[in-house]
Amino acid sequence: MSSASIRIDFYVLDQASPDARLHFACRLVEKAMKLKHRVHALTADEPQARTLDELLWTFRDESFVPHAIGQREGDAAVPVTIGFDPADAPDSSEVLINLCPVVPACFDGFQRVVEIIDASEDSRREGRERFKFYRDNGFDPQTHRID
């Protein structure tokens, strides 16, 4: 995919809690799913994947986000997948929500990449590095400040 055809969005939160990133990811997943987009959330590790899995079931009482960790046989109809290995990212997803500290090698297989940055120093530093990577590679990342 060419850099012109991939949309990169950075959402910068004013909270420093790592959970803030996961809660905001749930909101974005729900919104993308309602717009009929297939979403893959790539987490930094398996414990973070399990936490996001739990949050997607509980983050809002009136919400239902059908999802699965990984892509197993028969999961093709599941609109949202969660993974922690970039090599296992599904080919059919349109939106990548990257919760990893680095740009995953699979990012260019998606139409849209979402980066969520919290107010912690590590998250901001890692986010600046990812922003620079995208910009240096011909992408035009957009930044959205979230209060």
Side-chain angles (χ1 to χ4, degrees):
M1 220 174 258
S2 75
S3 60
S5 63
I6 301 174
R7 178 177 164 180
I8 312 284
D9 288 293
F10 278 76
Y11 290 89
V12 182
L13 310 178
D14 64 356
Q15 300 171 357
S17 162
D19 286 345
R21 292 176 70 218
L22 296 177
H23 283 277
F24 190 74
C26 288
R27 289 175 43 198
L28 290 177
V29 165
E30 180 182 48
K31 182 176 180 180
M33 189 196 72
K34 285 181 179 178
L35 293 171
K36 307 278 190 244
H37 296 297
R38 296 184 62 75
V39 179
H40 182 66
L42 184 62
T43 62
D45 53 32
E46 186 174 1
Q48 188 181 46
R50 300 261 174 233
T51 300
L52 182 59
D53 173 52
E54 275 299 310
L55 282 174
L56 283 171
W57 290 116
T58 61
F59 84 102
R60 286 193 341 167
D61 289 340
E62 68 278 357
S63 177
F64 176 68
V65 178
H67 65 281
I69 292 181
Q71 184 130 17
R72 296 175 298 273
E73 198 69 34
D75 282 347
V78 176
V80 177
T81 55
I82 302 169
F84 49 90
D85 183 349
D88 293 337
D91 296 333
S92 61
S93 291
E94 301 157 313
V95 179
L96 171 66
I97 296 179
N98 182 33
L99 296 166
C100 297
V102 297
V103 175
C106 65
F107 85 93
D108 60 353
F110 295 84
Q111 296 170 14
R112 182 175 181 198
V113 177
V114 172
E115 299 278 357
I116 304 171
I117 313 301
D118 67 37
S120 71
E121 191 54 42
D122 286 344
S123 183
R124 296 286 166 108
R125 180 181 34 73
E126 293 163 350
R128 284 189 292 272
E129 291 170 10
R130 293 193 307 275
F131 188 94
K132 183 179 183 318
F133 170 87
Y134 292 123
R135 191 187 60 220
D136 290 352
N137 284 281
F139 298 92
D140 183 23
Q142 301 299 304
T143 301
H144 312 277
R145 301 227 177 262
I146 307 298
D147 297 326

